[in-house]
Amino acid sequence: MIASRNAKSTTFWTHHCHAVPLGEKAQSRGEQNGKAKMRKNHICSRCNKIMYPGKEGADVNHKRIHCSDGARQTPQEFLQVVNGLQVKLVDQPPPYPQPNGVFTSGTHFHPLRFLQEVSSLYDRAIVRKDIPQMQDLAFAELLEKRTLQLPISDTNPQCCH
């Protein structure tokens, strides 16, 4: 500890240095027996934002189900029949951030807005050769992971020979 120039005591500095916890992600959660009860901040695993920086119900708080771009924040498990067998599949959330309007409330996907964004991304990245933004990269990653390529066959002929 550093003593002040005029006094040989470190009391002043000790009191002020311990007023704020350093190196800890903690948030006050009321007082208990005269001491502030501290808790770790919850961080969203998808967007890495502090989940509840405000009081309960505050607008600045992260939603429980979805991130600010409208996509859900946690993987979703579901059952699907594949070749007559029920298989448990896990649908991972898309990378953060996604374009506005493609997802809402973590439960809704909007295909028309999705197609508009595909067209817009093509125009920006291929036609105009703009520098991609973080949102463009996340959307392109979503497209890459969700695109299904089918082999050419008699039932699925190639368009042009």
Side-chain angles (χ1 to χ4, degrees):
M1 279 291 154
I2 301 170
S4 66
R5 212 183 297 184
N6 298 333
K8 296 181 181 184
S9 172
T10 59
T11 311
F12 174 83
W13 293 110
T14 304
H15 172 73
H16 286 80
C17 289
H18 293 291
V20 178
L22 299 176
E24 293 180 21
K25 291 182 180 178
Q27 204 173 41
S28 176
R29 194 174 184 175
E31 286 194 22
Q32 199 172 38
N33 298 333
K35 289 189 174 184
K37 185 178 177 185
M38 303 303 276
R39 66 178 170 117
K40 276 190 158 186
N41 288 331
H42 296 277
I43 306 289
C44 176
S45 60
R46 185 170 170 267
C47 64
N48 294 323
K49 292 183 180 175
I50 296 176
M51 298 276 291
Y52 309 110
K55 294 185 180 203
E56 189 173 332
D59 289 338
V60 296
N61 290 344
H62 192 287
K63 305 295 184 221
R64 287 183 184 226
I65 306 290
H66 60 91
C67 295
S68 59
D69 62 356
R72 72 178 182 284
Q73 70 180 42
T74 56
Q76 186 176 25
E77 294 182 359
F78 61 95
L79 294 174
Q80 186 170 6
V81 177
V82 178
N83 296 329
L85 298 171
Q86 268 197 344
V87 180
K88 188 177 186 180
L89 298 174
V90 178
D91 186 21
Q92 296 294 332
Y96 182 82
Q98 291 297 312
N100 290 334
V102 174
F103 300 97
T104 54
S105 303
T107 56
H108 294 83
F109 169 72
H110 302 282
L112 183 59
R113 180 67 182 106
F114 176 81
L115 292 174
Q116 290 170 343
E117 191 58 38
V118 170
S119 176
S120 177
L121 178 63
Y122 178 82
D123 183 53
R124 287 191 309 272
I126 306 300
V127 176
R128 295 190 318 221
K129 298 187 186 317
D130 288 347
I131 296 172
Q133 297 176 354
M134 188 171 141
Q135 176 177 307
D136 296 334
L137 297 174
F139 188 69
E141 186 179 337
L142 169 70
L143 280 174
E144 181 184 17
K145 286 182 179 179
R146 304 286 173 115
T147 301
L148 178 64
Q149 295 181 358
L150 300 173
I152 298 171
S153 67
D154 292 336
T155 58
N156 182 25
Q158 187 175 11
C159 296
C160 305
H161 291 283

